């Protein structure tokens, strides 16, 4: 929601951004004739000169689209998308039992008791630690699996590589909800139920990450890999010292 609230007004502004006025590219007949002679256009057809000069000018030639109305429309859209965030901010500081839960007006007696109650209702430090461990563990494993799979599909030649890569990308077309029950059964059969590794295991392999690494590896010049191969570097050394440094953000 936050991304949409920021993106849609900006996108609307790009739709209504005014172009340069027509008078900016106005040319006199003498200037048109001079440009026509320099370009070698037929001297007996001044209409062709005017059309050709207009097409050769840089930038779009568009009329200005009511900038004042556009600004009001963008401001209205931004206000509509900001209402839920404003309500959350007001409700966070409103005292409990005030009887104005749906009001957008801030309370005259703001309080921080809601934040204290929310912090005391759960073990948030443990939750933050779990989230950190999950993200770090999944990222560490995906860095290995996606890099290896991306290198295989980008550089190694074997029969059916394109077909296998297409099957690998089918995972992107599956709705995540469809995989919940199969993943839960697999995790339970491995004895990882109700553990952090069990939560991380379904995300150790990623089709999207493999696709990104494959596309990035294909942009690396093959001559660099050949030079490393001449120096005696194995496939893992080539990935570690050639591909990964050149494709990192």
């Amino acid at each position: 929601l936050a991304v949409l609230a920021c993106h849609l007004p900006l996108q609307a502004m790009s739709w209504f951004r005014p172009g340069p006025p027509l008078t900016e590219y106005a040319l006199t007949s003498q200037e048109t004739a001079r440009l026509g002679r320099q370009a070698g256009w037929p001297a007996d057809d001044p209409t062709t000169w005017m059309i050709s000069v207009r097409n050769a000018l840089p930038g779009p030639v568009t009329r200005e689209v009511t900038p004042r109305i556009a600004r009001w429309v963008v401001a209205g859209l931004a206000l509509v998308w900001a209402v839920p965030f404003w309500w959350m901010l007001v409700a966070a500081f409103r005292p409990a039992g005030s009887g104005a839960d749906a009001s957008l007006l801030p309370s005259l007696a703001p309080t921080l008791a809601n934040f204290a109650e929310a912090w005391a209702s759960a073990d948030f430090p443990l939750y933050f630690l779990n989230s950190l461990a999950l993200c770090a563990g999944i990222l560490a494993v995906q860095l290995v699996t996606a890099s290896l799979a991306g290198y295989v599909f980008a550089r190694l030649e074997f029969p059916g590589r394109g077909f296998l890569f297409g099957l690998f990308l089918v995972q992107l077309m599956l709705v995540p909800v469809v995989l919940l029950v199969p993943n839960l059964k697999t995790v339970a059969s491995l004895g990882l139920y109700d553990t952090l590794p069990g939560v991380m295991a379904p995300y150790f392999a990623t089709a999207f990450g493999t696709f990104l690494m494959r596309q990035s590896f294909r942009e690396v010049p093959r001559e660099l890999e050949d030079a490393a191969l001449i120096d005696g570097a194995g496939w893992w050394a080539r990935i570690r010292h050639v591909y990964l440094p050149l494709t990192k953000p």
Side-chain angles (χ1 to χ4, degrees):
L1 290 178
V3 173
L4 289 177
C6 298
H7 174 71
L8 290 180
L10 294 177
Q11 183 64 34
M13 291 181 66
S14 66
W15 293 338
F16 293 100
R17 184 180 294 116
L22 289 174
T23 56
E24 180 178 349
Y25 297 132
L27 297 176
T28 63
S29 59
Q30 293 82 3
E31 293 173 338
T32 304
R34 178 176 56 80
L35 291 176
R37 287 192 297 271
Q38 292 178 357
W41 292 323
D44 57 347
D45 191 2
T47 304
T48 304
W49 285 6
M50 294 298 297
I51 296 176
S52 301
V53 170
R54 184 182 181 89
N55 294 336
L57 289 173
V61 182
T62 57
R63 293 190 180 274
E64 196 168 328
V65 183
T66 57
R68 182 172 299 179
I69 297 177
R71 294 190 185 99
W72 280 108
V73 171
V74 172
L77 289 175
L79 181 62
V80 171
W81 263 276
V83 167
F85 300 97
W86 171 252
W87 178 83
M88 287 189 293
L89 181 63
V90 170
F93 292 95
R94 181 179 294 125
S98 60
D101 295 338
S103 176
L104 294 176
L105 299 177
S107 174
L108 298 178
T111 178
L112 296 176
N114 296 328
F115 294 92
E117 182 181 356
W119 185 263
S121 62
D123 192 0
F124 281 101
L126 179 60
Y127 296 163
F128 289 139
L129 183 61
N130 289 340
S131 299
L132 181 61
L134 287 173
C135 294
I138 293 175
L139 178 61
V141 177
Q142 282 190 359
L143 181 61
V144 178
T145 57
S147 299
L148 295 180
Y151 176 78
V152 169
F153 288 121
R155 291 309 188 200
L156 298 186
E157 300 288 344
F158 56 90
R161 183 183 66 172
F163 177 74
L164 183 60
F165 182 67
L167 291 179
F168 202 82
L169 294 182
V170 171
Q171 180 188 348
L172 297 177
M173 306 178 189
L174 298 178
V175 181
V177 179
V178 179
L179 302 176
L180 288 179
V181 175
N183 288 339
L184 180 60
K185 290 183 178 180
T186 303
V187 169
S189 63
L190 295 175
L192 299 176
Y193 183 76
D194 198 19
T195 62
L196 287 180
V199 179
M200 293 186 288
Y203 305 99
F204 282 163
T206 165
F208 184 69
T210 301
F211 171 76
L212 289 181
M213 297 304 293
R214 173 185 178 270
Q215 297 303 111
S216 300
F217 286 170
R218 287 171 63 91
E219 298 299 324
V220 176
R222 189 178 287 271
E223 290 79 6
L224 298 177
E225 182 182 6
D226 294 339
L229 183 62
I230 293 175
D231 290 338
W235 61 269
W236 173 249
R238 297 196 298 272
I239 296 176
R240 172 65 180 85
H241 298 287
V242 177
Y243 284 97
L244 290 181
L246 294 177
T247 56
K248 65 181 181 181

